[in-house]
Amino acid sequence: MACALGLGLRLHRLGAESLWYDETVSAHLAAFPPAQAVQRTALDIHPPGYYLALGLWADADGTSEFALAFFSCLLGVALIALTYALARPVGGGAAAALAAALSALSAYSVWYSQEVRMYTLAAALACLLLLITTRMASGPSPWWPIWGVVAAGALYTLYYTLFLLPALSLYWLVHACQAQRDRAGALARWAGAHLLALLLYLPWLPIAIRQALDPPVPPWRSPLVWTEALRQGAAALALGEAAPLRWWPLAAALVVVALLAPWARHVRRTEALLLASAFALPWAFIILISLAQPLFHPRYLFPYSPFFLSSLAVTLRAFGPHRSKRYVASALALVFVVGNAMSLDRGWTQPEFRADDLRGAVGELAESWVPGDVILVNAGYTYTALEHYWPGEIAWMGRVIDYSGAGAAAGPVILQGGSLSANPGLGWGRPESDFYATTLEQMVAGVERALAANRRLWVFRLYDTVTDPDGLLREWLSQSLIQTEDRAIPGPSFGRLQAFVPLLAELPCAEPVEWEGLILTCVEVSSESPAERIPVYLYAAPGPLEASGSEPSSGQTLHYTVRLTLPSGDTIGQTDGRVALRERAAVLNSVALELPPEAPPGEYAVQLGVYTLSQGSWHSLQPSLGGRPMDSPAGLAEVGRVTIGP
């Protein structure tokens, strides 16, 4: 019953949102063949185990948001059963059933059961490791090689599982030393299991040490006061990450109750002490190390959450035989259920808990992209969102400093920015690293090469306060180029999608079209285009060009309409937008004119109109060429023709 309830909660809205930054990294690394995945992960800050497992899963189930997240979902349901198995030998069947129910309802568990990351796999391996440890400690067992394999697997999945091993090793060692018969054999099995784990992990150990001591990514976490780590950790464990932090006293009460499990009545105290230690000691280790090196985030406690839930269930169940304590237990259980229900609702409905809409941002960018556009991503792994969600082929992708300046018509050029003001050894100085140190001069040179061979620069901004903490590139872009687009990426990370074009002193045509003296334009209809769209390059300047003021005479906002028309004059495709203008400059407005799927082969006219919007009404401006009115209905001027082949 608990597993069915848990599955239902975890399937709700599964895959409904976009993958966020870390999840696109998971999809990216899982797509490599195993050997390459290991090599690429060696340049990251996590071990490769989860990515290898996710890659096998994706080969069988696909790479949609639902398919990728379903791997975590199934592991999350398995955690319900494992939580039951943890509590049963400590507090009996009733405590185990309660533990499974708490696990099914846990907002913390639902959250990570819907995320394409390694935390549910790490939690499942941690549970298996503890269960095997108690089996080995209870007497002679042939499972010691399994312990070594699972311990190594846990470390290959998430480094933070290391903090669990001391408690398990000490528990097993104490029982081995107390063995009445075959003490030497018990100690040999203990040593053999640890030696096997070490041997299996030895190939990765130098990389793990280097990643820990010299991370190949720029610092992204600030030191956290230890009391704040306690509050955030308690709130996450007991009520979920979407719970308001002001609820932490209620969460702290539940944590304290869980810690009382070893002193509850009618429980196996040694095993209860192990359960409580299995979530409390790793939490303490992380906080202590964070005093010197920031390590804490609530998500890193999740692998230990089944131990917390089992301990909480054992204690609450032990209150049952006493009427006064039964009321306390019922009240605490109600706090858990109501708090987690509210946390689930907040996580599913409140905007601050939605993932960054990278899917929508990439889709919006793909709809706006035309040949001659290049895309700059200025955070190391942001390109993985473009790689995952771009609907077609990517022509070229690489570091800005490696870009030769070639344009592309078949797909976008994606430039990976570097980290400004960073340690020169960032990414260990390896050219294949996704994070690398660079200077403003190198970045500017790459952007200028891009704009010399192309027309427009898109900037996919995400976490650039990490890679450009002083805003050097942002300042240069705002001062040296003309920004024509600035769109927010919905989500908690304040991402932005921006477009820039170079400043032109004059229109790039001999005889521009004038629109009632307000605007001068020249238009290029490109023959290099994807099959489903026609690129139209509209250059616009205030008319006359030497006039002052960044907007036309009376400050009207000008809009363009670009239409694809049949010989009969019927419109079969249309794109409208605001005309970008700047003082004493010509500004490029790149337009993607969509072709309808049913358009028959033939020659079509591309027409341009300019109009003003004021108080909900619009006024079409009449074009003229060299002072002579142009023969065009509704203020439209034919600016080019295209032929659509069969």
Side-chain angles (χ1 to χ4, degrees):
M1 181 65 73
C3 288
L5 173 62
L7 178 61
L9 289 174
R10 285 152 181 79
L11 285 176
H12 179 64
R13 289 186 53 79
L14 185 72
E17 296 183 15
S18 165
L19 301 180
W20 68 285
Y21 181 93
D22 281 7
E23 291 177 304
T24 66
V25 176
S26 297
H28 168 74
L29 293 173
F32 287 102
Q36 288 182 259
V38 171
Q39 292 175 354
R40 295 288 301 182
T41 310
L43 300 173
D44 188 35
I45 57 173
H46 288 292
Y50 169 75
Y51 303 122
L52 295 173
L54 183 64
L56 294 174
W57 175 267
D59 288 342
D61 201 43
T63 58
S64 68
E65 290 91 342
F66 182 90
L68 292 173
F70 195 57
F71 182 52
S72 295
C73 177
L74 290 181
L75 288 167
V77 175
L79 284 176
I80 299 173
L82 288 168
T83 304
Y84 178 94
L86 289 170
R88 184 175 178 82
V90 179
L98 179 58
L102 297 181
S103 180
L105 295 170
S106 169
Y108 196 30
S109 183
V110 172
W111 182 296
Y112 287 105
S113 296
Q114 296 186 324
E115 188 168 86
V116 188
R117 294 297 281 166
M118 66 284 295
Y119 304 110
T120 50
L121 178 58
L125 291 172
C127 290
L128 288 174
L129 200 58
L130 189 142
L131 290 170
I132 297 170
T133 300
T134 55
R135 174 68 63 89
M136 293 297 304
S138 63
S141 172
W143 282 44
W144 67 266
I146 305 300
W147 192 97
V149 171
V150 174
L155 291 174
Y156 271 114
T157 301
L158 183 69
Y159 291 136
Y160 283 77
T161 54
L162 173 66
F163 300 122
L164 174 64
L165 295 183
L168 300 185
S169 296
L170 182 61
Y171 175 87
W172 186 3
L173 178 62
V174 169
H175 280 74
C177 291
Q178 293 175 345
Q180 298 298 317
R181 292 182 298 176
D182 193 23
R183 181 178 301 174
L187 290 173
R189 287 188 290 272
W190 179 90
H194 286 74
L195 180 60
L196 177 60
L198 178 61
L199 290 175
L200 291 174
Y201 198 67
L202 199 57
W204 190 259
L205 185 59
I207 298 171
I209 294 173
R210 189 175 187 183
Q211 287 177 336
L213 300 180
D214 182 21
V217 300
W220 61 275
R221 274 176 292 181
S222 301
L224 196 66
V225 179
W226 67 272
T227 53
E228 188 66 17
L230 284 174
R231 283 195 293 267
Q232 290 187 19
L237 280 170
L239 302 174
E241 286 197 56
L245 195 56
R246 64 178 180 273
W247 294 358
W248 75 264
L250 296 175
L254 292 171
V255 171
V256 170
V257 170
L259 290 172
L260 294 177
W263 294 274
R265 295 172 60 89
H266 308 298
V267 301
R268 298 178 64 174
R269 297 189 186 282
T270 305
E271 287 79 359
L273 180 61
L274 177 63
L275 269 184
S277 302
F279 80 86
L281 288 181
W283 189 3
F285 287 147
I286 294 171
I287 291 176
L288 285 174
I289 296 174
S290 293
L291 297 177
Q293 176 70 28
L295 287 180
F296 180 82
H297 190 283
R299 61 173 168 258
Y300 296 133
L301 291 182
F302 181 74
Y304 319 118
S305 62
F307 312 133
F308 160 74
L309 295 172
S310 298
S311 296
L312 179 62
V314 166
T315 309
L316 292 179
R317 178 58 188 165
F319 285 170
H322 306 277
R323 178 175 297 179
S324 59
K325 292 182 179 179
R326 189 185 310 159
Y327 294 143
V328 173
S330 298
L332 290 171
L334 184 63
V335 167
F336 181 92
V337 172
V338 173
N340 278 273
M342 295 177 66
S343 185
L344 282 172
D345 180 69
R346 283 170 54 84
W348 284 330
T349 62
Q350 296 302 308
E352 62 263 35
F353 301 109
R354 295 287 178 85
D356 293 313
D357 188 15
L358 303 183
R359 176 178 58 197
V362 175
E364 190 175 343
L365 178 56
E367 290 178 359
S368 302
W369 177 86
V370 294
D373 288 356
V374 293
I375 303 167
L376 173 67
V377 290
N378 53 354
Y381 265 131
T382 306
Y383 75 88
T384 57
L386 289 158
E387 178 186 67
H388 187 75
Y389 284 118
W390 192 266
E393 294 294 325
I394 293 173
W396 188 89
M397 183 163 59
R399 292 182 172 188
V400 175
I401 58 176
D402 297 331
Y403 178 56
S404 64
V413 169
I414 298 177
L415 308 177
Q416 297 167 239
S419 294
L420 300 169
S421 306
N423 185 328
L426 182 67
W428 305 332
R430 300 177 64 171
E432 65 269 32
S433 175
D434 289 298
F435 289 92
Y436 66 97
T438 188
T439 65
L440 179 62
E441 291 73 22
Q442 290 174 318
M443 289 285 287
V444 167
V447 170
E448 289 178 338
R449 284 196 303 273
L451 288 174
N454 299 279
R455 303 171 190 261
R456 181 170 57 170
L457 176 75
W458 286 95
V459 179
F460 199 96
R461 282 184 55 189
L462 195 69
Y463 300 123
D464 63 338
T465 53
V466 173
T467 54
D468 185 12
D470 300 320
L472 301 177
L473 181 62
R474 297 191 293 274
E475 178 68 18
W476 182 86
L477 289 170
S478 65
Q479 296 295 324
S480 304
L481 302 177
I482 300 174
Q483 183 174 310
T484 59
E485 299 280 353
D486 187 12
R487 312 172 193 174
I489 299 176
S493 302
F494 306 103
R496 305 204 71 83
L497 190 60
Q498 299 174 323
F500 297 87
V501 295
L503 190 69
L504 299 178
E506 58 184 15
L507 292 168
C509 57
E511 196 170 20
V513 179
E514 183 176 352
W515 301 82
E516 294 191 358
L518 294 180
I519 184 174
L520 297 171
T521 65
C522 59
V523 183
E524 178 187 348
V525 180
S526 175
S527 60
E528 294 183 343
S529 65
E532 70 280 359
R533 70 177 73 193
I534 299 170
V536 178
Y537 304 103
L538 166 64
Y539 294 87
L545 185 58
E546 64 273 10
S548 61
S550 60
E551 292 288 345
S553 57
S554 59
Q556 299 105 318
T557 299
L558 294 180
H559 291 252
Y560 63 78
T561 178
V562 179
R563 302 179 182 182
L564 186 67
T565 61
L566 295 166
S568 63
D570 294 334
T571 298
I572 64 167
Q574 179 174 336
T575 300
D576 286 52
R578 179 175 176 175
V579 180
L581 288 172
R582 288 297 183 273
E583 179 182 355
R584 294 191 178 126
V587 179
L588 169 65
N589 294 257
S590 294
V591 180
L593 182 58
E594 299 292 330
L595 287 174
E598 67 277 6
E603 188 177 53
Y604 293 81
V606 178
Q607 294 189 320
L608 169 68
V610 178
Y611 57 94
T612 64
L613 281 177
S614 176
Q615 297 180 349
S617 62
W618 65 280
H619 168 65
S620 178
L621 305 184
Q622 298 296 318
S624 64
L625 184 61
R628 299 187 304 276
M630 298 181 68
D631 183 15
S632 177
L636 296 175
E638 183 177 313
V639 293
R641 287 184 172 269
V642 294
T643 300
I644 301 176

